[in-house]
Amino acid sequence: RFVFRKSMAFARKYLSIKQASSVIGVTPLTLRNWDRAGKLRSYRNPINNYRYYRVDQIEAFLRQMESSRERFRKLKIADIS
């Protein structure tokens, strides 16, 4: 029973590479490349070496992407004016 609770807590804090790629809207291969480049770091399971991403890290990354898009839109509008 304790193991079940612990795994539920883990599931709320971490996403698999497939889940994270679906949330962000990219392929798992893109996430692997970003991990290698240091753009979005993964956490590794010490037993099977699978990649996992923290939910708060994904949320911060999405906010950062959105603010970058806003800045780009403002620059684009300024160039048109």
Side-chain angles (χ1 to χ4, degrees):
R1 195 168 186 167
F2 174 74
V3 173
F4 177 72
R5 287 184 185 157
K6 189 175 181 181
S7 65
M8 290 295 289
F10 179 84
R12 283 189 295 244
K13 292 182 182 179
Y14 292 90
L15 298 175
S16 69
I17 191 167
K18 185 173 182 177
Q19 293 167 325
S21 66
S22 177
V23 168
I24 297 173
V26 298
T27 66
L29 180 59
T30 298
L31 284 182
R32 288 184 190 98
N33 290 334
W34 287 353
D35 185 21
R36 274 188 229 110
K39 186 173 182 177
L40 185 61
R41 285 285 186 200
S42 66
Y43 295 86
R44 296 294 191 117
N45 181 314
I47 296 170
N48 58 22
N49 210 29
Y50 287 176
R51 287 178 169 90
Y52 289 97
Y53 295 87
R54 289 180 54 110
V55 171
D56 59 342
Q57 181 185 17
I58 297 295
E59 290 170 347
F61 184 78
L62 289 171
R63 281 193 299 273
Q64 180 184 1
M65 284 178 50
E66 185 59 35
S67 67
S68 294
R69 284 188 192 131
E70 277 300 315
R71 278 185 264 141
F72 180 74
R73 283 186 203 134
K74 288 178 183 177
L75 287 174
K76 196 172 180 181
I77 291 171
D79 288 345
I80 295 171
S81 301

